[in-house]
Amino acid sequence: MAFTLPDLPYAIDALAPYMSQETLEFHHGKHHQSYITNLNNMVKGNEFESASLEDIVKKTYNVADKAGIFNNASQHWNHGLFWQWMKPNGGGAIPGDLEKKLIEDFGSVDAFKDAFVQAGVTQFGSGWCWLVLGTDGKLQVTKTANGINPIATGEGTALLGCDVWEHSYYIDYRNSRPNYLEAFWNLVNWDFVNENLA
Ligand code: MN3
């Protein structure tokens, strides 16, 4: 079955002023759609046509002649979650279980946020920064290049990810990736992050 673009779980202007309607029109409507269109074209008639998205990501990671499929599949997976990791009037109080775990593993919520922003700022070129529940049961902050994600690397469960490709912030923040990452805290859907922890 062909992959399709999921609707945003909110109105296209609902994340403004932190993420504008114009950014979402391009990022969701054009960039995310392109990954899906490319992926559908690339899996047509081969072994991946009826595979799940997760399986495609895992089976094509680091396989030289499958790089095109991997890039588009992983980006489809990443963006499908990215839209859900944000909500209008996001940010605010962090659910108790998650807050406790963040303090346990990072020392404080602010220390986690600093590490996450730092990972995003220092990701050279396109990529993502992540909050991952590692296979050792500990929370960790990581960063990846391009479309690589925690299911590809097998380092754990992605609890939160932020897209630091320029297409994610250039309309609203121009070259200032740090300002975009700081503003992201006003959008985070902590309830959804917490659901993935449980
Ligand atoms: Mn993107």
Side-chain angles (χ1 to χ4, degrees):
M1 204 181 74
F3 295 102
T4 54
L5 182 68
D7 287 335
L8 289 174
Y10 31 75
I12 194 143
D13 60 355
L15 300 185
Y18 305 111
M19 190 174 284
S20 66
Q21 172 169 347
E22 189 182 1
T23 287
L24 285 172
E25 282 169 358
F26 279 89
H27 198 178
H28 175 262
K30 310 237 181 252
H31 290 279
H32 190 177
Q33 179 64 64
S34 294
Y35 298 130
I36 294 164
T37 304
N38 293 339
L39 176 62
N40 285 332
N41 288 334
M42 288 175 177
V43 299
K44 203 172 286 173
N46 64 39
E47 67 201 282
F48 297 110
E49 188 162 17
S50 55
S52 74
L53 186 57
E54 280 203 32
D55 274 351
I56 298 174
V57 170
K58 287 176 187 163
K59 286 177 180 162
T60 58
Y61 178 52
N62 266 341
V63 181
D65 66 340
K66 302 285 188 287
I69 297 178
F70 173 78
N71 289 335
N72 288 286
S74 61
Q75 283 289 72
H76 177 30
W77 189 88
N78 296 347
H79 287 81
L81 282 162
F82 185 53
W83 311 130
Q84 300 178 72
W85 278 320
M86 299 183 288
K87 68 170 189 178
N89 304 308
I94 300 176
D97 292 353
L98 177 61
E99 187 181 40
K100 200 171 145 234
K101 183 84 176 132
L102 286 169
I103 294 169
E104 227 172 77
D105 293 347
F106 292 99
S108 69
V109 171
D110 282 345
F112 151 67
K113 286 183 173 178
D114 287 348
F116 188 88
V117 167
Q118 201 49 31
V121 168
T122 58
Q123 169 54 40
F124 186 74
S126 296
W128 293 74
C129 54
W130 305 95
L131 171 65
V132 175
L133 179 61
T135 49
D136 61 356
K138 285 210 157 70
L139 297 178
Q140 58 195 69
V141 165
T142 65
K143 58 186 176 182
T144 56
N146 301 317
I148 299 169
N149 59 37
I151 57 167
T153 60
E155 61 198 337
T157 306
L159 299 182
L160 177 67
C162 187
D163 186 341
V164 298
W165 286 55
E166 285 185 347
H167 66 224
S168 195
Y169 59 88
Y170 227 83
I171 291 171
D172 297 324
Y173 300 92
R174 295 301 170 191
N175 58 315
S176 184
R177 192 187 288 182
N179 287 356
Y180 157 70
L181 281 158
E182 287 297 341
F184 181 65
W185 300 122
N186 297 297
L187 295 173
V188 173
N189 182 347
W190 288 116
D191 290 326
F192 185 65
V193 176
N194 192 49
E195 271 172 42
N196 290 310
L197 175 67

